[in-house]
Amino acid sequence: MAPLLENNEWSAHGFTPVPLAVPTARLIIVTCLDHRLDPARILGLEPGDAPIIRNAGGRVTESVVTDIAYLGFLARQVFGVEGPLFEVAVIHHTQCGTGFLADPDFRHRAADATGLPARTLAASEVSDPYATAREDVERLLASPLIPRETTVSGHVYDVETGRVSMVVDATGT
């Protein structure tokens, strides 16, 4: 971490804080925690543009849904946003490490090693990112907690080409 703290000293020169506000891109990104993905770099985002919610597989979990619900609440109650809120972009990716969880033996060994239920691990599996991006878009659209006037889209990032493709166009809740 020491070299990275030195990098931070360099980057802190000329730093301009971003005020707490509605994301300027009116976008929330849900994606995988894989270190090969840097959503800001991939999409050209700057601080303040979009919150990024990351977990294993970039799957839409109960926690992701409640985070999005809270962000909608903040936008309305604290910042007075009326009308359209934001788009939630679900971005899964090729060669996801959670794909190993499709193998029941591997999944059970992972459950034993992590203490997580095998069912929970199975829910984070991404072997076909095109299919799981669609599933997660549907999960968000079906949730009563997702604020009205929110749209949801699905995408796949190809780790070999660096390109993001649209799987599901932005659809309203």
Side-chain angles (χ1 to χ4, degrees):
M1 188 67 191
L4 299 178
L5 292 174
E6 289 177 26
N7 289 347
N8 175 251
E9 280 301 315
W10 175 82
S11 74
H13 293 292
F15 175 76
T16 304
V18 176
L20 182 61
V22 174
T24 55
R26 294 285 182 105
L27 178 70
I28 298 171
I29 297 170
V30 178
T31 195
C32 186
L33 53 75
D34 190 308
H35 61 280
R36 296 171 295 171
L37 277 73
D38 181 348
R41 178 177 278 174
I42 292 167
L43 300 172
L45 298 170
E46 296 292 331
D49 284 349
I52 299 170
I53 301 171
R54 297 178 78 145
N55 63 31
R59 299 306 307 267
V60 172
T61 62
E62 184 179 324
S63 175
V64 168
V65 170
T66 57
D67 285 348
I68 294 167
Y70 183 67
L71 289 170
F73 173 78
L74 284 177
R76 296 247 193 262
Q77 295 297 310
V78 176
F79 301 109
V81 174
E82 294 182 19
L85 277 174
F86 36 70
E87 178 177 339
V88 179
V90 174
I91 305 175
H92 291 185
H93 68 94
T94 59
Q95 300 178 12
C96 186
T98 64
F100 293 113
L101 295 168
D103 175 353
D105 181 55
F106 183 89
R107 184 172 53 249
H108 291 294
R109 288 193 328 245
D112 290 342
T114 64
L116 292 169
R119 190 173 68 214
T120 300
L121 291 169
S124 67
E125 179 221 324
V126 176
S127 4
D128 178 351
Y130 296 89
T132 54
R134 284 185 197 93
E135 288 172 16
D136 283 352
V137 166
E138 289 302 318
R139 186 171 290 132
L140 284 170
L141 291 172
S143 174
L145 298 177
I146 299 302
R148 294 200 174 281
E149 292 111 7
T150 297
T151 57
V152 183
S153 61
H155 313 268
V156 172
Y157 173 72
D158 187 319
V159 298
E160 292 194 0
T161 66
R163 299 208 183 277
V164 176
S165 59
M166 174 99 54
V167 176
V168 179
D169 289 332
T171 306
T173 54

